[in-house]
Every structure is written in structure tokens, then in C-alpha cells.
Amino acid sequence: MGVAERRRRSADPVGRTVEELETPALVLDRAVAEANAAAMGERIARLPAALRPHVKVHKCAELARLQLAHGAIGVTTATVAEAAAMLEAGVPDVLIANEVVGDAAIRHLVATAGAGDVTVAVDDAGNLERIAAAARAAGVTIGVVVEVDVGMGRGGARDVVGACRLGRAAAELEGVRLRGLLGYEGHCASEPDRATRERATREAMDRLLEAAGRFRDEGLPVDVVSAGATGTFDIAGAIEGITEVQAGSYLLMDRFHAPLVEGFGFALTIATTAISVHDDLVVFDAGRKAVGADFGPPDAPGADGDFAFIHEEHLGIRYPSGAPFRVGDRAALVPAYAPIAVNLFGAFHVVQDGTVVDRWAVRARHGDP
């Protein structure tokens, strides 16, 4: 096969089987993703809160539209670039659950706001004023939610007084529209013990709802009280006063989230090839640059595999009872943390019954044009 033919086949994998893909490759099982979206839609429908899934998980317009089709009211993003990509794809309502700071980022935010309904988190008065000034100059209005630190110790106003001060400032500024509050209980979401996770989440939401109550006392808008993650969506989302949850990883699922929440399958895998086999050691061609390692290694393929090492392009697995793979054999890896794995690739190979049926772009990675 010549170079031109290899490039053509690599660029257009539709119709090929997973076994024919050049590895490592990002593989999405379409049927599992659709089942996960439907399952979340059904579970959210029983809660008082709505679903605004966080698309940092997949950065994919087609998957965002799938979530909207199953009841999501909009999407959450981590960056302005993700918000712009979603709006360009026809998603009408985007929450940037992060502070957007600096002239270049604010210019991008203001340009994006003309394409749809955009809301951004704030926790600093000076930053709020700069966003408002830029929006006024461009003739647009940007929604804002005041972020409240609910115990994670990252972003957000550290107390109710500070949150209300920001809320009053936002309500008085032209160029922005105060919509309510946001709090992220990330310090609770990965707690393995369900009872402890519930208790910690309720304590975190109490802090957020205390701020919401003070907003109402002062006549400030509280249309939005946004919180929730995949590990806590059914806890935070069941609390009266929380209007939306930002669960996102449920759609793809990974090793990190699987022990926390039941009822969602693994839609995402990394196709890999065994490139070296010696005694009990099998080396696969999917290392840190394909699966990431921030939250640990992927699942070891095979019945009794033990993680040995992960390097840039290599993953080593030892099999005490003997290597079940030969050089050239294929395997599917479930990553430890889907958002990091996805960010390492430019596209999903969308698979139905083992055959590639489409290729969906991964958008708005840092540094992408």
C-alpha cells in the first residue's frame, strides 16, 4: 500500500472495522453513548433539577446534540473556545463554569456572546467590570453567575457577604445580566463511600443555597443555581433550590467514575495494538499520549493483567499466568479519566456493531486553530 493510499484510508475510516484502524485510536461505541444519554435523561426527569451537561468531557458537537435530544437544557463548558464551538454547532445556551480573565479571553467571550445565550462565572469585581465594559462596547449582554466556594477551595466567593457584594455589582452594571449562582462540589464528587458523599454534598449545597437565599432577600435574580457532577448529580439534583446539574462524564464513562454511579456503560475506549511481547510482559502502543495517566492507568486488557508501566507511547502489562496476546493482537483500553484521553485526539471513530460509521471531531483543544 502506497503513502497516498494509507493517507486516504486514515482520513476516511468509515466502513472499516475497528480491527482495521491504525492505533492508537479513539473509539466511541455509538449505541452505548445513546443508551447512556437516554438513561441520564430518564433519571434527571425524576429530579427537580434540570441537566446542563459539561462538554469538557467530550468536546464534540454531535455528542452535545445527543445530550440535548435526551433532555439537556443547554451545556456547560470550561473555556470560551469550547463555548464558541458549541454555539457554532447550534447549541443555543452555554454556561462557562469558569472565570474568563484577561483582555484576549474577554474579547473572545464578547465575540462569542453574539452567537447565542452565553453565561459566565465571576468571583472578582474587577474582572466583572472588565467583562461588562467589553460587552457594552460590543453592544452585547453577557449572562453572569456568581461562583460560590462550597468547600473545594478553588474558585468562588469565600463567603455569603462576598457573593452578595458581587451580585449587587453585577445587577447594577450594564453589559451583563445577573442570572444567579454557581457552586462546584468537586471535593465531594469522588468520595467512594455513598453515605459520606451524600453528607458532604448536602453540606456543600447548604452553603450555595444560603447564598441564594441572601440573594433573594436583597431582591437579586436567582434564576440559576447550578452545581452537580456525575458522582453527585442525583444528590445535588434532588435538593430543592438547585436548578441544574452539570454532570458530563456519564456519557462516555471511565474507570474513575464507574465506581461512583451505576447504570452507565463504557462508551469510550482506546484501540491499541500489542507491539512487543516478552515472557509475561505485553507492551501496547497506547501510552500517556493516548490514554493520559493523571488519574492512573487504563484497565489492563485480559483476565489477570497487572499494570507494569506507562511511558509516552508505551503501556506495559504483566500477565502472571502467561501473556494472552501476541505481537499484532488488538485490545480495547478503558481510560482512567475520559476527558484527558479525549483531549489527546482530534476525532472519535464512531462505531456501530464493530464497524466505523462516522468520524466526529474533538473541538476546542488548547492551541487548536
Side-chain angles (χ1 to χ4, degrees):
M1 185 187 301
V3 172
E5 176 63 11
R6 282 199 299 273
R7 286 177 177 170
R8 184 193 68 78
R9 288 175 63 84
S10 178
D12 185 16
V14 175
R16 297 157 64 189
T17 67
V18 174
E19 295 295 318
E20 295 177 281
L21 293 176
E22 186 173 357
T23 60
L26 190 69
V27 176
L28 176 77
D29 189 312
R30 185 170 188 165
V32 177
E34 289 176 346
N36 287 347
M40 179 58 86
E42 292 171 0
R43 293 170 75 169
I44 283 290
R46 299 194 290 267
L47 301 176
L51 174 66
R52 183 184 292 276
H54 210 313
V55 299
K56 69 175 183 180
V57 175
H58 53 70
K59 294 174 174 278
C60 177
E62 290 83 356
L63 287 172
R65 287 195 286 265
L66 174 64
Q67 291 171 305
L68 291 171
H70 286 280
I73 61 170
V75 302
T76 305
T77 74
T79 67
V80 180
E82 290 173 356
M86 293 299 110
L87 290 163
E88 289 170 7
V91 177
D93 189 337
V94 178
L95 166 66
I96 304 172
N98 202 357
E99 285 69 34
V100 174
V101 177
D103 291 343
I106 290 173
R107 284 196 299 270
H108 194 185
L109 172 66
V110 168
T112 297
D117 192 351
V118 178
T119 300
V120 64
V122 294
D123 75 350
D124 178 82
N127 176 233
L128 171 64
E129 290 168 3
R130 283 185 280 276
I131 290 172
R136 288 195 302 271
V140 299
T141 299
I142 296 173
V144 296
V145 287
V146 173
E147 182 175 4
V148 177
D149 175 22
V150 296
M152 191 172 182
R154 192 171 67 181
R158 285 335 198 222
D159 53 43
V160 171
V161 172
C164 288
R165 186 183 304 118
L166 274 172
R168 288 192 297 271
E172 294 169 1
L173 282 169
E174 294 184 9
V176 296
R177 175 170 62 95
L178 178 62
R179 300 194 62 205
L181 303 104
L182 173 150
Y184 177 51
E185 71 285 9
H187 60 297
C188 312
S190 59
E191 167 56 50
D193 179 70
R194 173 74 185 194
T196 303
R197 194 184 335 144
E198 286 189 14
R199 183 168 57 253
T201 299
R202 292 184 183 280
E203 290 174 358
M205 294 303 96
D206 283 347
R207 296 177 68 167
L208 183 58
L209 292 173
E210 180 187 3
R214 289 285 294 274
F215 266 43
R216 292 188 182 95
D217 290 344
E218 296 197 18
L220 298 173
V222 191
D223 299 324
V224 172
V225 182
S226 188
T230 290
T232 57
F233 81 91
D234 56 346
I235 305 169
I239 298 172
E240 290 291 342
I242 303 301
T243 67
E244 59 184 43
V245 291
Q246 301 170 18
S249 290
Y250 73 89
L251 187 67
L252 301 182
M253 198 40 65
D254 53 34
R255 289 183 57 230
F256 179 84
H257 290 94
L260 302 173
V261 57
E262 297 179 349
F264 302 102
F266 292 117
L268 180 76
T269 54
I270 310 299
T272 185
T273 301
I275 58 173
S276 182
V277 178
H278 296 281
D279 300 322
D280 66 341
L281 177 68
V282 180
V283 180
F284 296 94
D285 65 350
R288 296 180 191 275
K289 291 182 178 179
V291 295
D294 301 61
F295 288 78
D299 270 343
D304 64 343
D306 295 325
F307 171 73
F309 58 79
I310 185 167
H311 301 157
E312 287 185 67
E313 308 290 353
H314 302 83
L315 172 69
I317 305 294
R318 291 196 180 277
Y319 295 90
S321 59
F325 295 94
R326 297 180 179 179
V327 170
D329 285 350
R330 308 292 288 260
L333 305 176
V334 176
Y337 198 69
I340 293 175
V342 168
N343 194 56
L344 298 170
F345 291 86
F348 293 92
H349 293 86
V350 184
V351 172
Q352 193 88 36
D353 298 325
T355 298
V356 179
V357 295
D358 211 339
R359 196 167 183 266
W360 292 347
V362 177
R363 302 167 184 257
R365 298 180 301 164
H366 291 307
D368 281 355

